[in-house]
Amino acid sequence: MNDDKNIFVVGLNDFNRQRLQQLRGAERYHFHGVIEPEEVYDTEVFPIADMIDRATEQLEAFDGSIDAIVGYMDFPVSTMLPILCERFGTRTTSLESLLKCEHKYWSRRVQREVIPDFIPTFTAFDPFDDDALIRIGEAGLYIPFFAKPIKSSGSRLGFHIASLETFYLAIEQFRDQIGLIADPFNTVLEHARLPPEIAAVDGHFCMAEEIIGGWQCTVEGYVYQGEVVSYGIVDSLRYPQVLSFFHYRYPSGLPDYVQDKMVELTHTVMSHIGYDNAAFNIEYYWDEVQDRIWLLEINTRISQSHCDLFEKVDGVSNQQVTIDLALGKRPDMPSRQGKFSMAAKFFYRVFFTDAVVTRVPTTEELEALKAEFPGTMIDLQVHEGQRLSTLPEQDSYSFALALVWMGAQNEEELLANYESLASRLHFEYDDIIS
């Protein structure tokens, strides 16, 4: 009997193919790409209707069994999967349950039904309404607050509204750019059965939310046949005095009682949503001063940034969860069977307004560093001659020039090794605007 499985991955690239081939049971899996990776990594254009049509044609033309259709990215990939899986009879959660996570207004309404004390005050508003600020105030929100699209993509169009001036500057950008996300997201909404109060709030709307913050972390989990499982918590630690991420660290350093409460909240909200047979991750804040937990947002996928961390500490990438669920199996996710007790993904940053890169570390220099620190991966984000302002998906305070994944036996060793490595990442710049 042939137990081989054909697994189709939307946006499959060589890096993730290599990771997938290292999973448990992968000797029986044949991975096939659907839609070129360059398309799904494009953060400016989302021709989602065309992508769905072309993916359908490719799958229909395949001469063999279609055993699973998966992805490991946010929009537009995450929202395509339920549509494609329903067409071809493969496993994932329903489109409606996925949208209860990804449609930010719907998600907050559902969360409020079961965990009202752990979410901020919120409201939806139309950025094309000249009286939007009045509507926001009527919902009990006043400056300062945070504003973002109903469907976000990375950190795009997220604004800390600190004054009337910043609000109207944000409105200008919403009106100019929100269609890039809203139009394709509305295409997805057309496939779903939406309650009238949600259908009235389409992708052109925005969210206003109370400012929340604290120690940020992510609960990685999945739902298998109705059972919610949380298998790891990853901390998101920032540089001192700024909002830029310094590194993601696993396992979490949060107090046990805080982690336990986050796991409880995760079980409550994901069960209520009806999400099933798919992976997810939920971002939380712990406000240490008030000893208060806030749910920030729900993502309908594993976090790619965490794959190597789980592999280093637990022994296998959390992509294991995605593949097992798509094949109808309980995930075979080990715990603490990796080579390291702790792992992190570091963001090597410069805090310039802009500059031109005139030198990057050579291949020989990078290989020497990886040899000195076994298990380390270094992924340069820039090339010689590149202007930093051309980098996609950057925050407002800095530029990430390199991503560095490292493992160690404790936090002190991890940080010391990174500082040693970072001091020898030799970049040079010209035309610096600080």
Side-chain angles (χ1 to χ4, degrees):
M1 182 176 177
N2 186 357
D3 291 330
D4 287 6
K5 302 295 182 182
N6 291 303
I7 301 172
F8 291 81
V9 185
V10 180
L12 179 63
N13 59 18
D14 291 340
F15 180 72
N16 281 286
R17 182 187 293 274
Q18 183 178 9
R19 274 184 171 162
L20 291 168
Q21 289 171 339
Q22 296 172 358
L23 299 180
R24 295 180 172 189
E27 65 277 2
R28 302 188 307 275
Y29 302 156
H30 303 285
F31 295 104
H32 310 273
V34 180
I35 304 297
E36 290 301 314
E38 293 77 14
E39 288 191 66
V40 298
Y41 280 98
D42 188 337
T43 59
E44 297 298 327
V45 181
F46 301 109
I48 195 163
D50 178 59
M51 286 183 178
I52 292 171
D53 288 343
R54 285 187 286 120
T56 298
E57 291 177 4
Q58 182 179 346
L59 289 161
E60 287 178 340
F62 182 71
D63 184 19
S65 63
I66 298 173
D67 300 298
I69 306 171
V70 303
Y72 41 76
M73 294 187 62
D74 198 351
F75 189 78
V77 174
S78 57
T79 49
M80 293 169 59
L81 292 176
I83 298 170
L84 292 172
C85 288
E86 183 177 27
R87 288 184 181 180
F88 291 93
T90 59
R91 300 167 187 83
T92 194
T93 196
S94 68
L95 179 59
E96 285 73 23
S97 65
L98 179 138
L99 289 172
K100 287 179 184 178
C101 304
E102 296 212 9
H103 186 299
K104 301 305 180 187
Y105 180 63
W106 197 2
S107 188
R108 285 300 193 204
R109 286 178 64 109
V110 172
Q111 294 164 31
R112 188 170 60 188
E113 292 170 1
V114 288
I115 55 168
D117 296 334
F118 300 91
I119 64 171
T121 302
F122 67 93
T123 191
F125 69 93
D126 182 354
F128 297 93
D129 177 2
D130 291 336
D131 293 326
L133 192 57
I134 296 174
R135 314 277 185 241
I136 293 169
E138 290 172 347
L141 274 168
Y142 307 96
I143 294 173
F145 58 83
F146 195 78
K148 59 186 176 182
I150 284 294
K151 178 67 193 110
S152 57
S153 175
S155 57
R156 174 189 286 178
L157 296 180
F159 299 97
H160 183 284
I161 306 300
S163 64
L164 281 174
E165 180 183 13
T166 55
F167 176 74
Y168 289 112
L169 287 172
I171 288 293
E172 287 182 14
Q173 293 195 50
F174 282 137
R175 291 178 176 181
D176 182 53
Q177 301 178 41
I178 199 168
L180 294 172
I181 304 172
D183 293 339
F185 188 56
N186 284 345
T187 299
V188 173
L189 296 181
E190 292 172 1
H191 290 265
R193 296 175 293 275
L194 306 176
E197 65 275 16
I198 302 303
V201 181
D202 72 6
H204 290 91
F205 276 70
C206 295
M207 287 281 284
E209 292 193 344
E210 174 188 0
I211 301 292
I212 58 176
W215 183 328
Q216 189 172 348
C217 68
T218 302
V219 175
E220 291 272 359
Y222 62 86
V223 187
Y224 173 70
Q225 296 185 2
E227 179 187 357
V228 181
V229 177
S230 301
Y231 57 85
I233 300 179
V234 179
D235 292 334
S236 301
L237 303 173
R238 301 178 187 272
Y239 281 87
Q241 310 305 317
V242 295
L243 295 177
S244 302
F245 284 118
F246 176 28
H247 64 282
Y248 301 146
R249 182 184 66 194
Y250 178 66
S252 172
L254 283 166
D256 288 345
Y257 78 92
V258 175
Q259 295 190 48
D260 291 344
K261 185 61 179 180
M262 289 177 177
V263 169
E264 177 189 327
L265 293 170
T266 297
H267 183 276
T268 298
V269 73
M270 297 310 291
S271 296
H272 183 64
I273 284 172
Y275 195 84
D276 202 7
N277 298 316
F280 66 84
N281 69 75
I282 302 184
E283 297 177 52
Y284 290 96
Y285 285 121
W286 175 49
D287 184 334
E288 188 173 2
V289 175
Q290 300 185 58
D291 193 19
R292 182 168 185 177
I293 294 171
W294 298 101
L295 192 156
L296 176 59
E297 66 179 14
I298 307 171
N299 301 302
T300 57
R301 52 174 173 76
I302 63 163
S303 170
Q304 284 193 78
S305 291
H306 301 162
C307 290
D308 187 68
L309 310 189
F310 282 101
E311 185 171 341
K312 282 179 165 51
V313 175
D314 289 337
V316 68
S317 164
N318 54 342
Q319 288 170 320
Q320 186 78 49
V321 171
T322 298
I323 300 302
D324 285 346
L325 288 168
L327 292 172
K329 302 191 300 183
R330 181 180 294 277
D332 183 19
M333 193 68 191
S335 178
R336 307 303 188 264
Q337 295 181 23
K339 297 178 181 179
F340 303 95
S341 298
M342 180 171 287
K345 174 187 177 180
F346 292 95
F347 296 82
Y348 179 91
R349 297 183 182 275
V350 290
F351 293 87
F352 300 151
T353 301
D354 204 358
V356 174
V357 179
T358 58
R359 184 193 191 277
V360 300
T362 66
T363 300
E364 292 75 18
E365 290 169 346
L366 296 178
E367 291 302 320
L369 288 170
K370 288 188 284 187
E372 183 174 346
F373 301 103
T376 294
M377 297 192 304
I378 305 171
D379 185 9
L380 299 185
Q381 302 296 291
V382 295
H383 56 77
E384 289 184 13
Q386 183 170 8
R387 181 166 287 278
L388 295 180
S389 56
T390 65
L391 284 169
E393 299 293 324
Q394 302 295 307
D395 62 37
S396 302
Y397 313 95
S398 66
F399 296 97
L401 304 189
L403 307 177
V404 180
W405 289 264
M406 304 186 80
Q409 299 311 319
N410 54 60
E411 182 181 9
E412 182 179 6
E413 178 186 324
L414 185 68
L415 293 174
N417 286 351
Y418 173 71
E419 291 301 326
S420 176
L421 181 147
S423 68
R424 286 176 279 169
L425 285 177
H426 188 193
F427 293 87
E428 294 181 1
Y429 320 93
D430 196 4
D431 195 22
I432 298 174
I433 303 174
S434 58

